[in-house]
Structure formats: structure tokens, C-alpha cells
Amino acid sequence: MYQQVLDPVAGSLGWSALFAALPIIGLFVLLGVVRAKAWVAAAGGLAVALLVAVAAYGMPVDQALLTATQGGAFGLFPLAWTFTTAIWIYTMTVGTGHFDVLRRSFVRVSDDRRIQAIVIAFCFGSLLEALAGQGTPVAITSVMLLAVGFRPVLAASTALVANTVPAAFGPLGLPITTLAKVTGLPADDLGAMAGRQVPILAVVIPLLVVAIVDGRRGVREQWWPALACGLSFGLAQFATANYLSVALADIVAALVSVGVVTLVVRRRSVTVAAPAPVLVGRSGSAVGGPAVGGSEVGGPAGGSGVGGLAGGEVHGANLDANAAASDSRADVLRAYAPYAAIVAIFSLSQWSPITRILDSATTTFNWPGLHLLTSAGKTSSLPIYKLNLLLAPGSLLFLAGLLTMVVLRVRPGVAVRAYGRAVSQLRWAILTVTCLLALSFVMNASGQATTLGHWMAGAGGLFAILSPILGWLGVALTGSDTSSNSLFGALQVSAAGQTGLDPTLLAAANASGGVVGKMISLQNLTISAGAVGLSGQEGNLFRRMFGWSLLLLSGMCLIVGLQATPVLSWMVP
């Protein structure tokens, strides 16, 4: 039995917060400064979290280790099960040659890689986030970008940046409904408030995608399609979250934005004499924001501001266009079939009769031997482990994989070997996610995460500016906006009561701040790196993403801070 303590170090919340921050600091230093492999950084952070839990917080060793095993189990199922199965589907499409057909089909939308990045990483990735989440968008869009000609680093970086603003509402509004559950606030109010924060950032994300792909030149040449995409996505997300349904916010926004981009590109193509060049980034080209401890490349300020493709190779699109013309309609339909199956299966799984059938296989139990109390002395819900055998995203993806086998005529033996190759390719990613979730569970169960939150809440009225940082930290640590809301949502409401701020504003700020932490989450970094064959280079991706993440976080802090003042208080429902 263990009861959480908020100020175990000398009875001081400040000193306790310093110790509680050590696992996160250690994780970021190992990854960004020491440049250790992701699994080493995650294992090191876990070791520090266990040491702090036992030595500083007085958590019994057996309880600390049991908590770590529970987190590790969650890392394996459903998380590793999800992204490994997603890569399995991709592996089968590559083996049958249909991924090449898919790549060539994108030329028909636009032969410009910058537009393809917007359509694949942002629009289609948002749809996947709306339906599946748990690393699925990053895993699938990374390999899709790889297939259309992106270099591995550029593909992973683009997918990571694009997988931000959909996270507040995906999958199917789960982060908001979880936030409502832990805070006691109406889900409609929380969704409406987040729908008045996140869409503002959504306007700039496609522009940032273009900047990462092709630097200032890309923004100068493709600012209008990118801006049209961001504006349409943001407006659709705002309108759906406020006036229709939180669960549908990302689905509607993704479909509206891809339609707008397609319309804008086709209208422009009528007035352009020659097709835009196909852009292919150089291997090893610098991508992303301000690098940690290095020069800034492609960043928002300073330096040359050269993006991933600046100085890269430029090729014509004739070969792909000719090959695309030779692909039969049946081949193209089969190439899209796996992804259509994913969308259809995840959509059907949300239909109540089917949900009830799938949920009948769900098992809920207390993790053996783990007994925790909250700081208030109440029984903690943290030891409860929910095993969604059929409703888990990985299980639904597996069903999509079985359909893929039928449509692409993949023999069972070939499919089994393909899954084995996927596991082998992602073995370090699986180890990393297992250690990372164990770290997260230990920090949560011991009270380290709660200590950090209470310490930040001591900022008084300034907490409105800091509240998105809690969500950012939560997602950076857990990789999930839902988990971050579960971790810090109630604390945000408590802080609002102490500071006189609006509880709906601060609770929603947790979800909104969390979206910009996705790109530096070790879970997402590991999945994207593993998907494109860059396992072991997660630290490189982290340094490229960290500056952009901080810049977007600053913007969200400013938005929430102004919404807490008369300047933008009219935006609070």
C-alpha cells in the first residue's frame, strides 16, 4: 500500500518539484544533449523516476516496480500492438507493389511534393488521428511520404509537425470526454473552449509543413494553398466543436481541408503553363526548427532559414506521371483499399451496436499486487488495467490487415513473415515505448507529476499563461493528449479555483497545450523513426522538432493568457 505525497522533500513543494522534474530533465538531456539512443534515454529516465519515487517519495520498492510493469504492459498493448500492425499493413503493400501505385496516384492531385505533404501528412493524418490515434497517423503518413519520394528524415519530420492540432479532439473526441470525466465540467463546454484555441494554431500548421519541406521558397510559392488548408481546417474544426459534435471535429475538418486544397490546386493549375517541379529533399538535409545546441536551419528566426529542400534536387514529374497513366483503375483501387478499410473499420467500430459487441471482449482488472491511495487518502484508480482485446486500435488495424491480405492477394505465410519483419524493424521502438510508459506510470503513481502541477499552480493569476505548459509536458511524457488530460485535468480546475480563473478555460488549455507536445513526445519520435528506418536517430529528430514545439507552445500560452483577460475573454463560453 502506498499513499501519494505532494511535498515529500523537507515538506517543501518547491524542493519536491525539483526532484520530481529530474526524470523529465534526464530524459531530455539524454535525448537532446548526450544524443543517446531513444531506448537508452527512456530506460535512463525510468531509472531516475524509480529512484526518485523510492528515495524521495518513500514509495515501497515493490509498488514502484509493479507500477513500472503496468506501464510497460500498456506500452506493449495497446500502443506497440497499434503501430506495429500499422507498419505490417504498409509492409504488405510494399511487397505487392501497390504502394508504388499509391505514390504515383498522388501525382494526379499535384506533382509538387509540398502540396503532397499537406494532403498526406496534415489532411489524411488528421483523419487517421480522428479515427485511430495512438501513433497510427505518424506511422502511416511517414511511410506514405517516404513512398512519394521524401527522404527518411524529411518524411518523419513532416509527419511529426502535421500531427499536432488534430490531437485535441482525436480519436473521436476521447481527449475531451476524458477531460470532462476527470474535471466534472460539461464536455460540450470543454470542446467549445478547445475549439476556440486549437483552430488558431491550425491556420499556421500547413504553412509550417511547407516551410519544413522547402523553407522560405516553399512558403513564398505555396503560401496560398497552405493558408487555404489551414483556414478551412481551423474554421471547420471550430464550427464542428462548437455547434455540432466534439467527436466529429477532426473528421469534418480533415475532409473539408483536403477538399479545399484540391480545389485551390486545380484552379491554379488552369492558369499555370507548366507543372510545378517535383521536389525531393536531400538525404541528411536539415529539417525543422532551432536545433538544440546547434545552428538553426529552417527555423522561424535567424540564420539562413533554409528548409529541408532548399538546395535539394529538383526533378521533373514526367516519369511518375507516365507510370501513373499506365496504372489500371483496379490497381489504383487496390492500392487505396488498405487505407479505405482502416477508415471504414474505425468508423463502423463507433456504431453503438458494433461497439457493444466488440466491447464484450474487454476485461478490466486491478494490476496484481498494486495498491495505491491518492494524496487525499482515497483509493486510486491508477492500478485499474483495461484490456480492450477487440476495441483496441491495434486490433481494428489487424482486421484491416486481414482485409488487405484478401484484396491484395497476400498469402498467409507471406503475411506472417511481413509481420515478423515489422516487429524486427520496430524492436527498438517497442522497447523504447515500453520503458517510456513505465516511466510515465511511475511518475504518476508516486505523485511526481502531481507535485509538478501543484507547484506550477502556485503562480497565481499568471497560471493562465503557464497552464498550457502542463498539457505540453503531459503529452511530451505520455505521447497522448488523453493521458495528459487524465493526468493534469483535475489539477487545472483546482488551480482555477485557487486563482480565480475560469476552470473551463484552464482545463481546455491543458488539451490545447498538449497538441504541440506531440512532436517531441518520445513515443511519437520513436514510431516515426522506426517507420522510416531511422531507429536510433530519435535524438536527431528531437533536436529538429524542439524549437518548433517551443514556438507553437509560446503561441498557445499567449492565446490562453489573453483569453484570461478582457482582451479575449469574450471567447470563453
Side-chain angles (χ1 to χ4, degrees), residues 329-350:
R329 180 179 294 273
D331 283 337
V332 173
L333 289 176
R334 279 195 290 269
Y336 277 93
Y339 306 99
I342 291 171
V343 173
I345 289 171
F346 275 92
S347 299
L348 287 172
S349 71
Q350 303 307 311

Side-chain angles (χ1 to χ4, degrees), residues 57-58 103-104 203 323 404 423 519 537 560:
Y57 279 74
R103 172 177 58 82
R104 291 192 292 268
V203 175
T404 298
V423 172
M519 66 177 72
Q537 297 188 39
V560 175

Side-chain angles (χ1 to χ4, degrees), residues 470-511:
L470 272 181
W472 179 77
L473 282 173
V475 174
L477 183 63
T478 65
S480 164
D481 210 42
T482 301
S483 298
S484 176
N485 289 344
S486 179
L487 192 60
F488 291 129
L491 177 61
Q492 296 273 14
V493 173
S494 176
Q498 298 173 25
T499 58
L501 295 167
D502 189 287
T504 300
L505 172 64
L506 296 193
N510 196 84

Side-chain angles (χ1 to χ4, degrees), residues 298-359:
S304 64
V306 180
L309 291 179
E313 302 169 12
V314 180
H315 298 293
N318 292 336
L319 291 178
D320 263 349
N322 292 335
S326 67
D327 292 326
S328 68
R329 180 179 294 273
D331 283 337
V332 173
L333 289 176
R334 279 195 290 269
Y336 277 93
Y339 306 99
I342 291 171
V343 173
I345 289 171
F346 275 92
S347 299
L348 287 172
S349 71
Q350 303 307 311
W351 187 34
S352 296
I354 294 179
T355 301
R356 286 194 294 270
I357 294 173
L358 296 176
D359 196 41

Side-chain angles (χ1 to χ4, degrees), residues 160-189:
L160 286 167
V161 170
N163 186 226
T164 48
V165 289
F169 299 101
L172 294 161
L174 183 60
I176 299 299
T177 54
T178 300
L179 188 60
K181 180 180 178 181
V182 300
T183 62
L185 298 173
D188 289 343
D189 289 350

Side-chain angles (χ1 to χ4, degrees), residues 222-235:
Q222 298 293 355
W223 67 271
W224 172 231
L227 183 61
C229 178
L231 282 171
S232 60
F233 186 97
L235 288 173

Side-chain angles (χ1 to χ4, degrees), residues 530-569:
V532 299
L534 292 177
S535 293
Q537 297 188 39
E538 294 85 359
N540 182 28
L541 288 175
F542 174 80
R543 290 188 294 276
R544 297 178 190 279
M545 295 294 101
F546 192 72
W548 290 120
S549 182
L550 285 182
L551 182 66
L552 293 172
L553 176 62
S554 300
M556 183 55 69
C557 288
L558 179 62
I559 292 169
V560 175
L562 290 175
Q563 288 176 335
T565 70
V567 177
L568 293 180
S569 59

Side-chain angles (χ1 to χ4, degrees), residues 142-500:
S142 292
V143 294
M144 290 180 76
L145 290 172
L146 202 64
V148 298
F150 281 69
R151 301 298 183 183
V153 171
L154 190 55
S157 300
T158 304
L160 286 167
V161 170
N163 186 226
T164 48
V165 289
F169 299 101
L172 294 161
L174 183 60
I176 299 299
T177 54
T178 300
L179 188 60
K181 180 180 178 181
V182 300
T183 62
L185 298 173
D188 289 343
D189 289 350
L190 291 170
M193 188 67 252
R196 303 177 191 197
Q197 296 169 338
V198 176
I200 299 175
L201 284 188
V203 175
V204 303
I205 295 299
L207 288 166
L208 182 54
V209 166
V210 170
I212 285 178
V213 172
D214 195 25
R216 291 173 181 169
R217 180 182 63 180
V219 175
R220 185 173 61 251
E221 295 178 358
Q222 298 293 355
W223 67 271
W224 172 231
L227 183 61
C229 178
L231 282 171
S232 60
F233 186 97
L235 288 173
Q237 193 180 52
F238 159 76
T240 308
N242 278 269
Y243 306 115
L244 185 57
S245 168
V246 169
L248 298 177
D250 284 340
I251 296 176
V252 173
L255 295 176
V256 168
S257 61
V258 74
V260 168
V261 171
T262 302
L263 180 63
V264 169
V265 170
R266 287 181 177 176
R267 286 177 63 90
R268 289 182 69 190
S269 65
V270 173
T271 61
V272 178
V278 175
L279 302 171
V280 183
R282 295 175 302 171
S283 178
S285 61
V287 183
V292 179
S295 61
E296 178 186 359
V297 183
S304 64
V306 180
L309 291 179
E313 302 169 12
V314 180
H315 298 293
N318 292 336
L319 291 178
D320 263 349
N322 292 335
S326 67
D327 292 326
S328 68
R329 180 179 294 273
D331 283 337
V332 173
L333 289 176
R334 279 195 290 269
Y336 277 93
Y339 306 99
I342 291 171
V343 173
I345 289 171
F346 275 92
S347 299
L348 287 172
S349 71
Q350 303 307 311
W351 187 34
S352 296
I354 294 179
T355 301
R356 286 194 294 270
I357 294 173
L358 296 176
D359 196 41
S360 63
T362 298
T363 302
T364 302
F365 58 91
N366 286 327
W367 197 253
L370 187 57
H371 305 286
L372 302 176
L373 298 177
T374 66
S375 58
K378 298 179 180 179
T379 301
S380 173
S381 61
L382 293 176
I384 298 176
Y385 188 83
K386 192 173 184 179
L387 191 62
N388 292 320
L389 291 175
L390 297 181
L391 264 180
S395 301
L396 297 176
L397 282 171
F398 186 76
L399 178 57
L402 295 179
L403 290 177
T404 298
M405 289 173 56
V406 174
V407 173
L408 302 188
R409 301 167 187 170
V410 178
R411 294 191 303 274
V414 174
V416 170
R417 289 192 292 274
Y419 204 100
R421 287 194 298 272
V423 172
S424 177
Q425 176 186 343
L426 296 170
R427 61 189 183 280
W428 297 116
I430 294 171
L431 177 60
T432 300
V433 170
T434 301
C435 291
L436 181 64
L437 267 294
L439 182 159
S440 174
F441 272 57
V442 170
M443 287 192 66
N444 197 7
S446 64
Q448 295 172 54
T450 308
T451 295
L452 285 172
H454 276 82
W455 174 71
M456 292 181 65
L462 290 176
F463 184 67
I465 299 176
L466 301 177
S467 61
I469 298 177
L470 272 181
W472 179 77
L473 282 173
V475 174
L477 183 63
T478 65
S480 164
D481 210 42
T482 301
S483 298
S484 176
N485 289 344
S486 179
L487 192 60
F488 291 129
L491 177 61
Q492 296 273 14
V493 173
S494 176
Q498 298 173 25
T499 58

